[in-house]
Amino acid sequence: GAHFLGIDGLRPDEITALLDLAERYVALNRSASKHSDALAGMTQINMFFEASTRTQASFELAGKRMGADVMNMSMASSSLKKGETLIDTALTLNAMHPDLLVVRHPLSGAVDLLAQKVNCAVINAGDGRHEHPTQALLDALTIRRAKGRLHRLVVAICGDIAHSRVARSNILLLNRMESRVRLVGPPTLMPAGAADWGCEIHDDMRAGLEDADVVMMLRLQKERMDGGFIPSEREYFDRYGLDAEKLACAKPDAIVMHPGPMNRGVEIDGMIADDINRSVIQEQVEMGVAVRMAVMDRLAATLRDARQRERLRSS
Ligand code: CP
């Protein structure tokens, strides 16, 4: 069926088309009406098995602005707590005929698995360390607006790469769009397979930031460091926190990004995060709503086409 599970599998022209459609939604969201009927008559269920502020709020707003009936499942108080499995919960909701299921889950692969069990369109809102595809699209839209292109840029992705689905989806997208990605961080926070990802790897932040067009900071994800090495925050900030002195190694017009939620004083100096001449962190959030509208618009169109064909076959 029609799903949106990852950047893996998307062609460059499909990425460009989604970003172009998202631009139309940026304009709509800045207009007085903010509304379209692209999801009229459709039901969208948001299932977040992990905490979220930006992603959940933007999917909810996106669905409502496009005319869907939107329901947020409160997973903390759902029957999962009584031992119901992920798949049984999904099948239960599937029986209520949703059209779109937006899912975040702490386990890599859980969203793909769920997509095989239901007959509605499933959107990956972040699964474990695997992918967070709408985040990569909103980052790409933010970069394209700031730099005018997505090819031949140097993008430094810095910090806790090992635990980051944001890094994985961004690497896939930026490589596909022919930018150069540098991974910058301590060896303890580099994933085992990183050498095969087609990126330069740096453990010295100043060298990693040299001549970068884009500096993308990541959160230190302590909740995923079960039993492993956890650096001290002070030492981490000294070596890998983005401050004015390290940022000076990047191009003078380099933009600073962070997917949120950010830890000020751990991976980024609050002064840099708030510097409107360098930081595009708030614009990333704005682009998030538009990109999610574009993704759901395309899925809804695919669903409508499939249903039309079904009707023709059975008439
Ligand atoms: N960037 C991101 O996914 O943020 P949330 O965890 O708040 O959704």
Side-chain angles (χ1 to χ4, degrees), residues 81-243:
K81 288 278 178 263
K82 301 176 185 168
E84 189 172 68
T85 65
L86 166 69
I87 298 302
D88 282 333
T89 301
L91 290 176
T92 300
L93 294 174
N94 186 55
M96 299 179 195
H97 298 290
D99 302 284
L100 298 156
L101 209 50
V102 181
V103 186
R104 169 171 290 188
H105 198 279
L107 294 178
S108 307
V111 182
D112 289 46
L113 178 70
L114 197 144
Q116 294 164 25
K117 307 281 181 185
V118 296
N119 47 28
C120 54
V122 174
I123 301 173
N124 185 358
D127 65 321
R129 323 173 170 194
H130 176 226
E131 278 229 40
H132 191 354
T134 56
Q135 179 72 45
L137 283 179
L138 77 87
D139 289 338
L141 186 59
T142 308
I143 294 170
R144 198 175 76 166
R145 288 172 73 92
K147 297 288 161 196
R149 64 179 200 274
L150 283 175
H151 58 278
R152 284 187 288 108
L153 293 170
V154 176
V155 181
I157 304 181
C158 309
D160 183 359
I161 314 283
H163 301 101
S164 181
R165 55 194 175 213
V166 174
R168 277 188 57 89
S169 288
N170 265 301
I171 292 163
L172 287 166
L173 187 150
L174 291 165
N175 277 341
R176 210 144 289 178
M177 303 313 277
E178 297 179 16
S179 268
R180 269 171 57 198
V181 179
R182 293 196 195 136
L183 305 180
V184 183
T188 46
L189 294 176
M190 278 298 155
D196 304 324
W197 290 0
C199 308
E200 279 174 45
I201 298 179
H202 292 267
D203 62 4
D204 179 84
M205 188 145 173
R206 289 169 186 83
L209 293 198
E210 202 174 302
D211 289 329
D213 297 286
V214 176
V215 180
M216 188 183 291
M217 302 308 301
L218 299 173
R219 181 173 64 89
L220 203 54
Q221 297 190 56
K222 290 187 172 179
E223 77 277 17
R224 296 195 204 283
M225 298 182 189
D226 35 74
F229 171 74
I230 301 183
S232 95
E233 291 189 353
R234 173 96 186 267
E235 192 183 349
Y236 187 81
F237 183 75
D238 283 348
R239 294 197 56 190
Y240 296 104
L242 186 66
D243 56 14

Side-chain angles (χ1 to χ4, degrees), residues 15 28 52 60 147 162 190 193 230 237 247 261 285 287 294 296 308:
I15 292 168
L28 181 76
S52 170
E60 182 176 356
K147 297 288 161 196
M190 278 298 155
I230 301 183
F237 183 75
L247 181 57
V285 177
M287 296 309 123
M296 292 199 288
Q308 176 77 10

Side-chain angles (χ1 to χ4, degrees), residues 215 242-245 247-248 251-258 262 264 268-284:
V215 180
L242 186 66
D243 56 14
E245 186 256 314
L247 181 57
K251 286 210 179 118
D253 62 349
I255 56 168
V256 173
M257 307 179 75
H258 194 305
M262 65 184 158
R264 288 168 184 262
I268 189 166
D269 183 341
M271 299 272 280
I272 300 288
D274 298 334
D275 179 353
I276 54 166
N277 295 313
R278 309 305 294 271
S279 165
V280 293
I281 294 171
Q282 296 304 320
E283 187 169 344
Q284 286 175 270

Side-chain angles (χ1 to χ4, degrees), residues 20-34:
D20 291 347
L21 181 58
E23 280 288 0
R24 306 229 304 261
Y25 280 110
V26 174
L28 181 76
N29 288 333
R30 288 179 180 180
S31 75
S33 110
K34 296 192 179 69

